[in-house]
Amino acid sequence: MSRLGCNVEEPEPGATMLKDTRILEDGKVIAITLPDGQRYRFHAIWLRDNAWDPETRAAGNGQRLLTLSDIPADTRVTEARSKGRQLELTFEPEGRAIDFDCEWLAQHAYDLPTPASVGWTSSEIETWDASLATNIPQARFYEVKEHRAALARWLAAIRRFGFAKLGGGPVKSGALLDVAALFGYVRETNYGRYFEVRTEVKPSNLAYTGLGLQAHTDNPYRDPVPTLQILYCLENSATGGENMVIDGFRAVERLRQENARWFELLSGHCARFEYAGSPGVRLRARRPLIELAPDGELLAVRFNNRSAAAITDVPFDQMADYYAAYRRLGEIIDDPAMEVTFKLAPGECFLVDNTRVLHARKGYSGTGSRWLQGCYADKDGLLSTLAAIEAETEAGSRQLQEVTL
Amino acid sequence: MSRLGCNVEEPEPGATMLKDTRILEDGKVIAITLPDGQRYRFHAIWLRDNAWDPETRAAGNGQRLLTLSDIPADTRVTEARSKGRQLELTFEPEGRAIDFDCEWLAQHAYDLPTPASVGWTSSEIETWDASLATNIPQARFYEVKEHRAALARWLAAIRRFGFAKLGGGPVKSGALLDVAALFGYVRETNYGRYFEVRTEVKPSNLAYTGLGLQAHTDNPYRDPVPTLQILYCLENSATGGENMVIDGFRAVERLRQENARWFELLSGHCARFEYAGSPGVRLRARRPLIELAPDGELLAVRFNNRSAAAITDVPFDQMADYYAAYRRLGEIIDDPAMEVTFKLAPGECFLVDNTRVLHARKGYSGTGSRWLQGCYADKDGLLSTLAAIEAETEAGSRQLQEVTL
């Protein structure tokens, strides 16, 4: 639970958890010093807004009961009293004393060095290349269905790698919906709640042919894009048709290392995507190939040669360089050193974070058959389910610890 | 169909549509001049990548059959021949001649002045304030269900204003799903395919109480956020409980006009949102209150006092100003001059673009009852349905024109 190495030690009974507390700038700011010497400043207005007392936050669901306009703009701290795990602050002009949990404060400190470089990723993410092939994150369907700890491990692998396999599932049409139900909800689209991936005579989408498909993210012409995809195998006796996955985050990291300007071009301008393959459908999106948060966090990669529309949002004098960058990203994506390849057996599926991991398939033909089903879902549900299990486990182990102590 | 006022005139039969065509920079670039004197340059690689010949694009669904690596990096145009509506370009080293539609080229020109200021919105969007109250975009359920033109008008109003009402619908539980089915697909979440908005004894969410709710966007703790919301009325005899909508895009435009630095602070740093009101649910997101595309287009507004978590991604030395900006945005949102208020009758609903339009409700209590149902859906489906109807209509009127000529 500690953040950035600031370990908040258990205080002696009766002792305070803080080494020092100061009121600064006429109470507009306070500074706390932890036992390890780490010092953090907080603004009075921030503290007041983030109070957890029952008048500020609803007891049952934790939702905030106030709006910012309920809190005086000239809020200041006039008294700070450290007592054990708590820090009691008195706010004026409200004249209210409110307790803050010291550990919570240390975890939510924002008085920190400016974060990393453009393209940084959360510590929950680990990028990978072809070497992941010897250690593919995977689990068994009935295990994750029955055991919450196994489910959490599998979901944590998806959070970390943006990809995992699941084996030993039923070989029956629609089984992929049971996979989605393990953690969240299907995102229904014009392709249905799920769709058949097999050779069609008059394909509305090249996915429904035997052609090989370059590694891509699905549906970049949709906004919001589906953030998860499940591909579930029901038949796979055809020659070829292997699946491949590529970590798009690793690909754009490589691009950035090779040429920071190219990374900047692909993240600094919108591309366009389009799909109008079926009657009544005309999907379009205008989003960058590399999407960053305002502070440079790498949020998403979109890459799909089939549905890329004409790029018209790059100024003329940067288009040649943009295309050079786009070409190089495609080369990195096509590099076998990036790719993890596997052939799904009936009852096996894989799941990708569609904002990060590209998938591809090799062409197939000849005798035998290949029948996959696909569906979309969203990461919010997956990450929420995982966080909830982790919170239970944490609460459980804390309880156990307290009992043991 | 023309863009930025460049009207492409119908050529005389046999005459060319272009006034002039030049090959520049050893064929890396061509320049075309339209009859009105407008001149656009295009890169050879861009043209080749965006060709619409049947070897480049699949005939049925328009998907691209090539990847960029199939196109030589040193692609250049060696011949350009204007013939009627078409421009025939010969590409080397491939040695292929490909026709381009001149009107398509003019529509996709990127040799343009750099776009507008930070916070610009698409020409399809019109922001509004309380004065919209006298002209609320609305339609009748059975009319939009039966007539595609009426449906397109209603959907176009939602695209433009981010909000519309729909009246005359059935007063039956689940009717809101029929509204979603008019244009797209429900986004199922932990709240279900739809949820009940009425007073509960032990509410998991403050929405399920009689409390007034400050104007907000829904579920900012979800990523991706649901981009549309439908609120459908089944009973409303309680005193109070009026609904209000506020154009978040207008609100942040006002903020920018008042103080560009404040706009920059709220768009330049991530806020955090959290919801953990039900067992098994722990939703969290880290996104800015004002989301911009890399080129400054205004994409989304997130605002929700109840689920705002501690903001920890603003550096200490900017937090006081960030809070001043946040406070001011809340004041603008609370300003009655921004708000359109109405009371739904049973069988009426309203739909908001949840990335743009905030909704609120006044408190209610006492005698009578208030029962709404809500559901989420996504804009991709709505905009796709609308674009498809518009394309049919355009194709229809073009056909009619050709017949008439």
Side-chain angles (χ1 to χ4, degrees), chain A residues 5 29 32 52 57 67 81 104 110 129 142 177 187 213 226 237 273 278 281 287 308-309 316 338 361 373 379 400:
Chain A
V29 171
I32 61 172
W52 277 91
R57 292 278 192 166
T67 73
R81 212 153 56 93
W104 188 93
Y110 55 90
D129 60 17
Y142 288 101
L177 300 179
R187 171 100 73 93
L213 301 176
S237 59
F273 301 93
S278 320
V281 175
R287 287 278 189 170
F316 178 83
M338 297 293 287
R361 72 143 185 257
Q373 291 182 326
K379 269 162 78 176
L400 189 67

PDB file of all heavy atoms in Angstrom, chain A residues 5 29 32 52 57 67 81 104 110 129 142 177 187 213 226 237 273 278 281 287 308-309 316 338 361 373 379 400:
ATOM      1  N   GLY A   5       7.968   4.238  -2.281  1.00  0.00           N
ATOM      2  CA  GLY A   5       8.927   3.845  -1.253  1.00  0.00           C
ATOM      3  C   GLY A   5       8.769   4.543   0.088  1.00  0.00           C
ATOM      4  O   GLY A   5       9.595   4.388   0.963  1.00  0.00           O
ATOM      5  N   VAL A  29      -1.642  26.041   3.288  1.00  0.00           N
ATOM      6  CA  VAL A  29      -0.850  24.829   3.024  1.00  0.00           C
ATOM      7  C   VAL A  29      -0.443  24.225   4.358  1.00  0.00           C
ATOM      8  O   VAL A  29      -0.175  24.958   5.313  1.00  0.00           O
ATOM      9  CB  VAL A  29       0.411  25.197   2.195  1.00  0.00           C
ATOM     10  CG1 VAL A  29       1.378  24.023   2.083  1.00  0.00           C
ATOM     11  CG2 VAL A  29       0.032  25.717   0.805  1.00  0.00           C
ATOM     12  N   ILE A  32       3.549  17.818   6.113  1.00  0.00           N
ATOM     13  CA  ILE A  32       3.742  16.735   7.083  1.00  0.00           C
ATOM     14  C   ILE A  32       5.075  16.058   6.794  1.00  0.00           C
ATOM     15  O   ILE A  32       5.507  15.996   5.647  1.00  0.00           O
ATOM     16  CB  ILE A  32       2.592  15.692   7.034  1.00  0.00           C
ATOM     17  CG1 ILE A  32       2.508  15.015   5.649  1.00  0.00           C
ATOM     18  CG2 ILE A  32       1.263  16.309   7.408  1.00  0.00           C
ATOM     19  CD1 ILE A  32       1.536  13.848   5.594  1.00  0.00           C
ATOM     20  N   TRP A  52     -12.929  12.674   4.481  1.00  0.00           N
ATOM     21  CA  TRP A  52     -13.735  11.454   4.472  1.00  0.00           C
ATOM     22  C   TRP A  52     -14.698  11.402   5.644  1.00  0.00           C
ATOM     23  O   TRP A  52     -15.183  10.329   6.018  1.00  0.00           O
ATOM     24  CB  TRP A  52     -12.824  10.222   4.474  1.00  0.00           C
ATOM     25  CG  TRP A  52     -12.350   9.891   3.088  1.00  0.00           C
ATOM     26  CD1 TRP A  52     -11.207  10.348   2.503  1.00  0.00           C
ATOM     27  CD2 TRP A  52     -13.019   9.086   2.121  1.00  0.00           C
ATOM     28  NE1 TRP A  52     -11.126   9.876   1.208  1.00  0.00           N
ATOM     29  CE2 TRP A  52     -12.219   9.088   0.947  1.00  0.00           C
ATOM     30  CE3 TRP A  52     -14.217   8.367   2.113  1.00  0.00           C
ATOM     31  CZ2 TRP A  52     -12.576   8.408  -0.209  1.00  0.00           C
ATOM     32  CZ3 TRP A  52     -14.573   7.678   0.966  1.00  0.00           C
ATOM     33  CH2 TRP A  52     -13.760   7.701  -0.182  1.00  0.00           C
ATOM     34  N   ARG A  57     -18.695  12.733   2.853  1.00  0.00           N
ATOM     35  CA  ARG A  57     -18.836  11.534   2.035  1.00  0.00           C
ATOM     36  C   ARG A  57     -19.973  10.664   2.557  1.00  0.00           C
ATOM     37  O   ARG A  57     -20.070  10.454   3.763  1.00  0.00           O
ATOM     38  CB  ARG A  57     -17.535  10.702   2.096  1.00  0.00           C
ATOM     39  CG  ARG A  57     -16.352  11.364   1.436  1.00  0.00           C
ATOM     40  CD  ARG A  57     -16.399  11.139  -0.058  1.00  0.00           C
ATOM     41  NE  ARG A  57     -15.136  11.508  -0.691  1.00  0.00           N
ATOM     42  CZ  ARG A  57     -14.819  11.163  -1.942  1.00  0.00           C
ATOM     43  NH1 ARG A  57     -15.653  10.451  -2.677  1.00  0.00           N
ATOM     44  NH2 ARG A  57     -13.683  11.543  -2.469  1.00  0.00           N
ATOM     45  N   THR A  67     -20.468  19.877  -3.146  1.00  0.00           N
ATOM     46  CA  THR A  67     -19.810  20.350  -4.364  1.00  0.00           C
ATOM     47  C   THR A  67     -18.731  21.339  -3.913  1.00  0.00           C
ATOM     48  O   THR A  67     -18.747  21.785  -2.753  1.00  0.00           O
ATOM     49  CB  THR A  67     -20.791  21.049  -5.317  1.00  0.00           C
ATOM     50  OG1 THR A  67     -21.140  22.321  -4.769  1.00  0.00           O
ATOM     51  CG2 THR A  67     -22.055  20.214  -5.502  1.00  0.00           C
ATOM     52  N   ARG A  81      -3.332  18.648  14.517  1.00  0.00           N
ATOM     53  CA  ARG A  81      -2.996  17.880  15.719  1.00  0.00           C
ATOM     54  C   ARG A  81      -2.827  16.421  15.329  1.00  0.00           C
ATOM     55  O   ARG A  81      -3.760  15.778  14.837  1.00  0.00           O
ATOM     56  CB  ARG A  81      -4.106  18.018  16.764  1.00  0.00           C
ATOM     57  CG  ARG A  81      -3.598  17.962  18.203  1.00  0.00           C
ATOM     58  CD  ARG A  81      -4.551  18.731  19.128  1.00  0.00           C
ATOM     59  NE  ARG A  81      -5.909  18.214  19.001  1.00  0.00           N
ATOM     60  CZ  ARG A  81      -6.428  17.261  19.796  1.00  0.00           C
ATOM     61  NH1 ARG A  81      -5.703  16.752  20.785  1.00  0.00           N
ATOM     62  NH2 ARG A  81      -7.659  16.851  19.627  1.00  0.00           N
ATOM     63  N   TRP A 104      -3.364   7.312   4.293  1.00  0.00           N
ATOM     64  CA  TRP A 104      -4.082   7.788   3.106  1.00  0.00           C
ATOM     65  C   TRP A 104      -3.398   9.037   2.540  1.00  0.00           C
ATOM     66  O   TRP A 104      -3.199   9.154   1.334  1.00  0.00           O
ATOM     67  CB  TRP A 104      -5.548   8.093   3.465  1.00  0.00           C
ATOM     68  CG  TRP A 104      -6.400   8.395   2.271  1.00  0.00           C
ATOM     69  CD1 TRP A 104      -7.146   7.523   1.551  1.00  0.00           C
ATOM     70  CD2 TRP A 104      -6.578   9.678   1.633  1.00  0.00           C
ATOM     71  NE1 TRP A 104      -7.767   8.170   0.505  1.00  0.00           N
ATOM     72  CE2 TRP A 104      -7.436   9.486   0.530  1.00  0.00           C
ATOM     73  CE3 TRP A 104      -6.084  10.961   1.882  1.00  0.00           C
ATOM     74  CZ2 TRP A 104      -7.831  10.534  -0.321  1.00  0.00           C
ATOM     75  CZ3 TRP A 104      -6.469  12.007   1.030  1.00  0.00           C
ATOM     76  CH2 TRP A 104      -7.330  11.789  -0.051  1.00  0.00           C
ATOM     77  N   TYR A 110       0.809  14.647  -3.606  1.00  0.00           N
ATOM     78  CA  TYR A 110       1.031  15.141  -4.966  1.00  0.00           C
ATOM     79  C   TYR A 110       2.200  16.115  -5.011  1.00  0.00           C
ATOM     80  O   TYR A 110       2.483  16.714  -6.042  1.00  0.00           O
ATOM     81  CB  TYR A 110      -0.242  15.792  -5.523  1.00  0.00           C
ATOM     82  CG  TYR A 110      -0.797  16.901  -4.645  1.00  0.00           C
ATOM     83  CD1 TYR A 110      -0.394  18.213  -4.818  1.00  0.00           C
ATOM     84  CD2 TYR A 110      -1.719  16.618  -3.645  1.00  0.00           C
ATOM     85  CE1 TYR A 110      -0.888  19.230  -4.006  1.00  0.00           C
ATOM     86  CE2 TYR A 110      -2.220  17.624  -2.832  1.00  0.00           C
ATOM     87  CZ  TYR A 110      -1.805  18.934  -3.013  1.00  0.00           C
ATOM     88  OH  TYR A 110      -2.293  19.925  -2.212  1.00  0.00           O
ATOM     89  N   ASP A 129       8.097  -8.736 -25.822  1.00  0.00           N
ATOM     90  CA  ASP A 129       8.313  -9.044 -27.235  1.00  0.00           C
ATOM     91  C   ASP A 129       8.189 -10.557 -27.415  1.00  0.00           C
ATOM     92  O   ASP A 129       7.583 -11.242 -26.571  1.00  0.00           O
ATOM     93  CB  ASP A 129       9.660  -8.498 -27.717  1.00  0.00           C
ATOM     94  CG  ASP A 129      10.818  -9.094 -26.931  1.00  0.00           C
ATOM     95  OD1 ASP A 129      10.635 -10.133 -26.248  1.00  0.00           O
ATOM     96  OD2 ASP A 129      11.923  -8.525 -26.987  1.00  0.00           O
ATOM     97  N   TYR A 142     -12.091 -23.681 -16.093  1.00  0.00           N
ATOM     98  CA  TYR A 142     -12.843 -24.085 -14.898  1.00  0.00           C
ATOM     99  C   TYR A 142     -12.159 -23.637 -13.614  1.00  0.00           C
ATOM    100  O   TYR A 142     -12.814 -23.418 -12.602  1.00  0.00           O
ATOM    101  CB  TYR A 142     -13.130 -25.594 -14.911  1.00  0.00           C
ATOM    102  CG  TYR A 142     -14.180 -25.885 -15.961  1.00  0.00           C
ATOM    103  CD1 TYR A 142     -13.832 -26.396 -17.213  1.00  0.00           C
ATOM    104  CD2 TYR A 142     -15.518 -25.571 -15.721  1.00  0.00           C
ATOM    105  CE1 TYR A 142     -14.799 -26.617 -18.191  1.00  0.00           C
ATOM    106  CE2 TYR A 142     -16.491 -25.782 -16.695  1.00  0.00           C
ATOM    107  CZ  TYR A 142     -16.128 -26.307 -17.923  1.00  0.00           C
ATOM    108  OH  TYR A 142     -17.081 -26.494 -18.874  1.00  0.00           O
ATOM    109  N   LEU A 177     -19.070 -15.992 -24.375  1.00  0.00           N
ATOM    110  CA  LEU A 177     -19.844 -15.100 -23.505  1.00  0.00           C
ATOM    111  C   LEU A 177     -19.629 -15.460 -22.039  1.00  0.00           C
ATOM    112  O   LEU A 177     -19.665 -14.595 -21.163  1.00  0.00           O
ATOM    113  CB  LEU A 177     -21.334 -15.158 -23.861  1.00  0.00           C
ATOM    114  CG  LEU A 177     -21.672 -14.740 -25.303  1.00  0.00           C
ATOM    115  CD1 LEU A 177     -23.166 -14.856 -25.557  1.00  0.00           C
ATOM    116  CD2 LEU A 177     -21.182 -13.328 -25.603  1.00  0.00           C
ATOM    117  N   ARG A 187     -19.510  -5.842 -24.993  1.00  0.00           N
ATOM    118  CA  ARG A 187     -19.879  -4.619 -25.730  1.00  0.00           C
ATOM    119  C   ARG A 187     -20.519  -5.035 -27.050  1.00  0.00           C
ATOM    120  O   ARG A 187     -19.821  -5.441 -27.982  1.00  0.00           O
ATOM    121  CB  ARG A 187     -18.655  -3.756 -25.996  1.00  0.00           C
ATOM    122  CG  ARG A 187     -18.952  -2.588 -26.956  1.00  0.00           C
ATOM    123  CD  ARG A 187     -19.155  -1.267 -26.279  1.00  0.00           C
ATOM    124  NE  ARG A 187     -17.917  -0.747 -25.792  1.00  0.00           N
ATOM    125  CZ  ARG A 187     -17.121   0.109 -26.487  1.00  0.00           C
ATOM    126  NH1 ARG A 187     -17.477   0.532 -27.681  1.00  0.00           N
ATOM    127  NH2 ARG A 187     -15.996   0.533 -25.974  1.00  0.00           N
ATOM    128  N   LEU A 213      -3.922 -11.636 -42.035  1.00  0.00           N
ATOM    129  CA  LEU A 213      -4.222 -10.254 -41.641  1.00  0.00           C
ATOM    130  C   LEU A 213      -3.027  -9.704 -40.891  1.00  0.00           C
ATOM    131  O   LEU A 213      -2.540 -10.331 -39.951  1.00  0.00           O
ATOM    132  CB  LEU A 213      -5.452 -10.215 -40.736  1.00  0.00           C
ATOM    133  CG  LEU A 213      -6.775 -10.765 -41.289  1.00  0.00           C
ATOM    134  CD1 LEU A 213      -7.848 -10.738 -40.207  1.00  0.00           C
ATOM    135  CD2 LEU A 213      -7.238  -9.988 -42.515  1.00  0.00           C
ATOM    136  N   PRO A 226     -13.695  -0.669 -28.728  1.00  0.00           N
ATOM    137  CA  PRO A 226     -13.860  -1.706 -27.701  1.00  0.00           C
ATOM    138  C   PRO A 226     -12.494  -1.969 -27.072  1.00  0.00           C
ATOM    139  O   PRO A 226     -11.519  -2.160 -27.786  1.00  0.00           O
ATOM    140  CB  PRO A 226     -14.340  -2.939 -28.476  1.00  0.00           C
ATOM    141  CG  PRO A 226     -14.527  -2.513 -29.893  1.00  0.00           C
ATOM    142  CD  PRO A 226     -13.846  -1.207 -30.089  1.00  0.00           C
ATOM    143  N   SER A 237      -8.821 -27.205 -37.720  1.00  0.00           N
ATOM    144  CA  SER A 237      -8.057 -28.269 -38.355  1.00  0.00           C
ATOM    145  C   SER A 237      -7.449 -27.810 -39.677  1.00  0.00           C
ATOM    146  O   SER A 237      -6.737 -28.563 -40.327  1.00  0.00           O
ATOM    147  CB  SER A 237      -8.959 -29.480 -38.585  1.00  0.00           C
ATOM    148  OG  SER A 237     -10.051 -29.124 -39.414  1.00  0.00           O
ATOM    149  N   PHE A 273     -10.024   6.666 -39.421  1.00  0.00           N
ATOM    150  CA  PHE A 273     -10.386   5.279 -39.686  1.00  0.00           C
ATOM    151  C   PHE A 273     -11.834   5.232 -40.143  1.00  0.00           C
ATOM    152  O   PHE A 273     -12.649   6.068 -39.737  1.00  0.00           O
ATOM    153  CB  PHE A 273     -10.195   4.428 -38.430  1.00  0.00           C
ATOM    154  CG  PHE A 273      -8.785   4.442 -37.908  1.00  0.00           C
ATOM    155  CD1 PHE A 273      -8.411   5.354 -36.927  1.00  0.00           C
ATOM    156  CD2 PHE A 273      -7.831   3.564 -38.411  1.00  0.00           C
ATOM    157  CE1 PHE A 273      -7.105   5.376 -36.448  1.00  0.00           C
ATOM    158  CE2 PHE A 273      -6.534   3.585 -37.935  1.00  0.00           C
ATOM    159  CZ  PHE A 273      -6.161   4.494 -36.959  1.00  0.00           C
ATOM    160  N   SER A 278     -20.946  -2.897 -44.366  1.00  0.00           N
ATOM    161  CA  SER A 278     -22.287  -3.499 -44.304  1.00  0.00           C
ATOM    162  C   SER A 278     -23.328  -2.403 -44.506  1.00  0.00           C
ATOM    163  O   SER A 278     -23.096  -1.250 -44.138  1.00  0.00           O
ATOM    164  CB  SER A 278     -22.545  -4.139 -42.938  1.00  0.00           C
ATOM    165  OG  SER A 278     -21.404  -4.801 -42.474  1.00  0.00           O
ATOM    166  N   VAL A 281     -24.256   0.824 -42.062  1.00  0.00           N
ATOM    167  CA  VAL A 281     -23.116   1.047 -41.166  1.00  0.00           C
ATOM    168  C   VAL A 281     -22.110   1.995 -41.830  1.00  0.00           C
ATOM    169  O   VAL A 281     -21.703   1.769 -42.971  1.00  0.00           O
ATOM    170  CB  VAL A 281     -22.414  -0.290 -40.820  1.00  0.00           C
ATOM    171  CG1 VAL A 281     -21.170  -0.049 -39.987  1.00  0.00           C
ATOM    172  CG2 VAL A 281     -23.385  -1.215 -40.095  1.00  0.00           C
ATOM    173  N   ARG A 287      -8.664   9.782 -34.507  1.00  0.00           N
ATOM    174  CA  ARG A 287      -7.883   9.616 -33.282  1.00  0.00           C
ATOM    175  C   ARG A 287      -6.442   9.327 -33.674  1.00  0.00           C
ATOM    176  O   ARG A 287      -6.198   8.783 -34.738  1.00  0.00           O
ATOM    177  CB  ARG A 287      -8.426   8.423 -32.471  1.00  0.00           C
ATOM    178  CG  ARG A 287      -9.748   8.691 -31.780  1.00  0.00           C
ATOM    179  CD  ARG A 287      -9.558   9.416 -30.476  1.00  0.00           C
ATOM    180  NE  ARG A 287     -10.793   9.484 -29.699  1.00  0.00           N
ATOM    181  CZ  ARG A 287     -10.841   9.905 -28.446  1.00  0.00           C
ATOM    182  NH1 ARG A 287      -9.744  10.295 -27.834  1.00  0.00           N
ATOM    183  NH2 ARG A 287     -11.982   9.961 -27.798  1.00  0.00           N
ATOM    184  N   ALA A 308      -7.772   1.983 -42.192  1.00  0.00           N
ATOM    185  CA  ALA A 308      -7.172   3.324 -42.153  1.00  0.00           C
ATOM    186  C   ALA A 308      -7.748   4.142 -43.296  1.00  0.00           C
ATOM    187  O   ALA A 308      -7.723   3.715 -44.447  1.00  0.00           O
ATOM    188  CB  ALA A 308      -5.656   3.210 -42.277  1.00  0.00           C
ATOM    189  N   ALA A 309      -8.301   5.288 -42.965  1.00  0.00           N
ATOM    190  CA  ALA A 309      -8.833   6.200 -43.987  1.00  0.00           C
ATOM    191  C   ALA A 309      -7.747   7.218 -44.328  1.00  0.00           C
ATOM    192  O   ALA A 309      -6.668   7.211 -43.733  1.00  0.00           O
ATOM    193  CB  ALA A 309     -10.086   6.875 -43.459  1.00  0.00           C
ATOM    194  N   PHE A 316       0.706  19.709 -44.405  1.00  0.00           N
ATOM    195  CA  PHE A 316       1.448  19.290 -45.584  1.00  0.00           C
ATOM    196  C   PHE A 316       2.953  19.158 -45.301  1.00  0.00           C
ATOM    197  O   PHE A 316       3.575  18.162 -45.681  1.00  0.00           O
ATOM    198  CB  PHE A 316       1.223  20.283 -46.735  1.00  0.00           C
ATOM    199  CG  PHE A 316       2.009  19.926 -47.955  1.00  0.00           C
ATOM    200  CD1 PHE A 316       1.508  18.972 -48.845  1.00  0.00           C
ATOM    201  CD2 PHE A 316       3.262  20.473 -48.207  1.00  0.00           C
ATOM    202  CE1 PHE A 316       2.246  18.590 -49.958  1.00  0.00           C
ATOM    203  CE2 PHE A 316       4.004  20.090 -49.306  1.00  0.00           C
ATOM    204  CZ  PHE A 316       3.492  19.159 -50.193  1.00  0.00           C
ATOM    205  N   MET A 338       9.027  -9.366 -32.456  1.00  0.00           N
ATOM    206  CA  MET A 338       7.982  -8.786 -31.608  1.00  0.00           C
ATOM    207  C   MET A 338       6.850  -9.763 -31.336  1.00  0.00           C
ATOM    208  O   MET A 338       6.032  -9.536 -30.452  1.00  0.00           O
ATOM    209  CB  MET A 338       7.368  -7.556 -32.308  1.00  0.00           C
ATOM    210  CG  MET A 338       8.306  -6.414 -32.558  1.00  0.00           C
ATOM    211  SD  MET A 338       8.838  -5.649 -31.016  1.00  0.00           S
ATOM    212  CE  MET A 338       7.334  -4.781 -30.555  1.00  0.00           C
ATOM    213  N   ARG A 361      -3.401 -12.849 -37.898  1.00  0.00           N
ATOM    214  CA  ARG A 361      -3.502 -14.287 -38.143  1.00  0.00           C
ATOM    215  C   ARG A 361      -2.827 -14.581 -39.464  1.00  0.00           C
ATOM    216  O   ARG A 361      -2.799 -13.768 -40.376  1.00  0.00           O
ATOM    217  CB  ARG A 361      -4.956 -14.764 -38.143  1.00  0.00           C
ATOM    218  CG  ARG A 361      -5.742 -14.339 -39.337  1.00  0.00           C
ATOM    219  CD  ARG A 361      -6.729 -15.391 -39.819  1.00  0.00           C
ATOM    220  NE  ARG A 361      -7.311 -14.883 -41.042  1.00  0.00           N
ATOM    221  CZ  ARG A 361      -8.520 -14.355 -41.128  1.00  0.00           C
ATOM    222  NH1 ARG A 361      -9.300 -14.276 -40.087  1.00  0.00           N
ATOM    223  NH2 ARG A 361      -8.953 -13.903 -42.286  1.00  0.00           N
ATOM    224  N   GLN A 373     -14.997 -17.656 -32.776  1.00  0.00           N
ATOM    225  CA  GLN A 373     -16.001 -16.638 -32.469  1.00  0.00           C
ATOM    226  C   GLN A 373     -15.309 -15.517 -31.705  1.00  0.00           C
ATOM    227  O   GLN A 373     -14.372 -15.772 -30.938  1.00  0.00           O
ATOM    228  CB  GLN A 373     -17.156 -17.219 -31.643  1.00  0.00           C
ATOM    229  CG  GLN A 373     -17.990 -18.196 -32.466  1.00  0.00           C
ATOM    230  CD  GLN A 373     -19.181 -18.757 -31.710  1.00  0.00           C
ATOM    231  OE1 GLN A 373     -19.112 -18.964 -30.506  1.00  0.00           O
ATOM    232  NE2 GLN A 373     -20.267 -19.019 -32.433  1.00  0.00           N
ATOM    233  N   LYS A 379     -12.527  -2.780 -20.585  1.00  0.00           N
ATOM    234  CA  LYS A 379     -11.547  -2.912 -19.521  1.00  0.00           C
ATOM    235  C   LYS A 379     -12.059  -2.435 -18.170  1.00  0.00           C
ATOM    236  O   LYS A 379     -11.575  -2.889 -17.135  1.00  0.00           O
ATOM    237  CB  LYS A 379     -10.308  -2.079 -19.862  1.00  0.00           C
ATOM    238  CG  LYS A 379      -9.252  -2.815 -20.616  1.00  0.00           C
ATOM    239  CD  LYS A 379      -8.294  -1.860 -21.281  1.00  0.00           C
ATOM    240  CE  LYS A 379      -7.283  -1.276 -20.336  1.00  0.00           C
ATOM    241  NZ  LYS A 379      -6.310  -0.425 -21.094  1.00  0.00           N
ATOM    242  N   LEU A 400      -6.582 -10.911   9.134  1.00  0.00           N
ATOM    243  CA  LEU A 400      -5.821 -12.044   9.622  1.00  0.00           C
ATOM    244  C   LEU A 400      -4.648 -11.555  10.453  1.00  0.00           C
ATOM    245  O   LEU A 400      -4.377 -12.069  11.542  1.00  0.00           O
ATOM    246  CB  LEU A 400      -5.327 -12.869   8.418  1.00  0.00           C
ATOM    247  CG  LEU A 400      -4.698 -14.209   8.738  1.00  0.00           C
ATOM    248  CD1 LEU A 400      -5.744 -15.174   9.296  1.00  0.00           C
ATOM    249  CD2 LEU A 400      -4.070 -14.828   7.473  1.00  0.00           C
TER     250      LEU A 400
END
